[in-house]
Amino acid sequence: MDLDLAQLRALDAAVTHGTLDAAARALHITPSAVSQRIRALEASLGRVLLVRSKPVAVTESGAAALRVARQLDALAGALALDLAGEEGSRRLIPLGVNADSLATWVLPALAGLDGLDFEFHREDQDYTVSYLRDGTVMAAITADSAPVQGCTVEPLGVMRYVPTAEREFAARWFPHGVTAAALREAPYVDFDRKDDLQHRYLRKHRVDEATPPRNQVPASADFVAAVRLGFGWGMIPMVQQPQAGDDVIVLDEHGIDVPLYWQQWNLRSPALDRVREAILAGAAVLRSGR
């Protein structure tokens, strides 16, 4: 199969920027040229790749083509840097990261990597692999140990989540510690509908998650703030406990352990290798037993 790099780049630009007009501006060509390149690629592959909506969306076949397009672009960029040897040249690395890792250890781990820019796609650790499958990201932190096709996987460690509450809240709702009866009555804080941690802890105590009052706060720092302000109890990672402050307490040290893994494209890229090394080093906090 002969693949045209210009056609693949047109597909990538359309998906990245959302419209054919925006893709044309990014590629410095006309919208008609973008459309023609994508249609030519669809004709050569015999598949419809793009849904012309706003923003545009890829079909299942389009996701596979997009992944190849972005991998080839990464290889071409690495080759250009090797041949030119230009200092100051930069590479954009799109990564899939769960919110709690992004709020705690990932940013410090990646700080100081000169010549690299990052595009973070935040998603629950159970769902970040979807970004790898459709080619949106080059690598992801995920709870899935099964490698996505065309990717390698390495264990990072375990993020332990423990039920945490503001002191006065704990005294009011959990005067005798964590019990099923208390969990049925006490309000709790949820991250979003995809976050299953609070529900898993409730089910562990044979409590239906629909029974207690629920507050939804879909941002990692704000989630911790909501717990600290007494909106409810919530599952906070041990690595995030220092951010919670002294006015909160851990209700139960035997929380829920979530193993995390690093999955990345199975290709040789000096830029991606640097990111991998930084992530593996930064993840030492997950292996410290905290």
Side-chain angles (χ1 to χ4, degrees):
M1 181 183 296
D2 293 327
L3 294 174
D4 186 298
L5 190 56
Q7 295 172 1
L8 290 169
R9 282 178 172 161
L11 175 67
D12 183 5
V15 176
T16 298
H17 298 285
T19 67
L20 300 188
D21 287 344
R25 290 192 294 270
L27 295 174
H28 306 292
I29 58 177
T30 65
S32 176
V34 173
S35 180
Q36 290 174 15
R37 290 180 186 184
I38 294 173
R39 290 191 184 280
L41 181 61
E42 290 176 324
S44 68
L45 296 178
R47 298 285 191 278
V48 175
L49 305 179
L50 206 62
V51 178
R52 271 71 170 177
S53 55
K54 287 190 176 180
V56 299
V58 289
T59 64
E60 184 176 349
S61 298
L66 180 64
R67 183 169 61 250
V68 171
R70 289 176 171 171
Q71 289 176 343
L72 288 176
D73 186 63
L75 289 172
L79 175 61
L81 289 178
D82 287 343
L83 294 177
E86 297 177 359
E87 294 187 5
S89 297
R90 307 189 69 85
R91 291 292 297 164
L92 177 65
I93 308 293
L95 300 176
V97 185
N98 61 308
D100 292 327
S101 291
L102 188 61
T104 52
W105 63 273
V106 166
L107 291 180
L110 297 178
L113 289 181
D114 294 335
L116 299 181
D117 299 315
F118 296 95
E119 180 181 275
F120 294 106
H121 295 262
R122 191 188 67 186
E123 183 57 276
D124 186 88
Q125 60 271 2
D126 292 320
Y127 297 90
T128 48
V129 290
S130 65
Y131 290 132
L132 278 170
R133 292 193 181 100
D134 65 18
T136 299
V137 301
M138 300 172 71
I141 294 171
T142 174
D144 196 338
S145 61
V148 173
Q149 184 178 5
C151 294
T152 60
V153 59
E154 296 176 85
L156 292 174
V158 173
M159 183 167 277
R160 168 163 290 188
Y161 290 81
V162 290
T164 305
E166 188 269 335
R167 290 182 181 275
E168 291 186 6
F169 179 96
R172 174 185 176 186
W173 294 98
F174 298 98
H176 306 296
V178 176
T179 65
L183 287 171
R184 291 189 186 97
E185 300 294 331
Y188 70 98
V189 183
D190 234 356
F191 189 84
D192 59 23
R193 295 295 180 182
K194 293 180 179 178
D195 177 24
D196 193 42
L197 288 167
Q198 283 70 222
H199 299 171
R200 286 171 60 185
Y201 190 76
L202 289 168
R203 291 194 296 267
K204 180 180 176 181
H205 290 80
R206 299 183 179 179
V207 176
D208 186 336
E209 60 262 29
T211 301
R214 172 182 175 274
N215 299 278
Q216 181 173 313
V217 184
S220 189
D222 295 334
F223 182 97
V224 174
V227 171
R228 188 173 63 245
L229 292 169
F231 280 80
W233 65 270
M235 303 296 287
I236 295 179
M238 289 295 291
V239 295
Q240 205 170 12
Q241 289 293 327
Q243 298 178 17
D246 296 332
D247 51 347
V248 300
I249 61 172
V250 173
L251 299 173
D252 176 11
E253 292 185 357
H254 303 289
I256 294 175
D257 288 343
V258 177
L260 294 178
Y261 301 87
W262 174 253
Q263 293 209 35
Q264 71 175 58
W265 291 348
N266 187 19
L267 55 79
R268 296 303 303 172
S269 165
L272 193 52
D273 287 345
R274 290 175 62 200
V275 174
R276 170 188 168 274
E277 292 169 3
I279 287 291
L280 292 179
V285 67
L286 303 178
R287 303 185 291 272
S288 65
R290 294 189 62 187

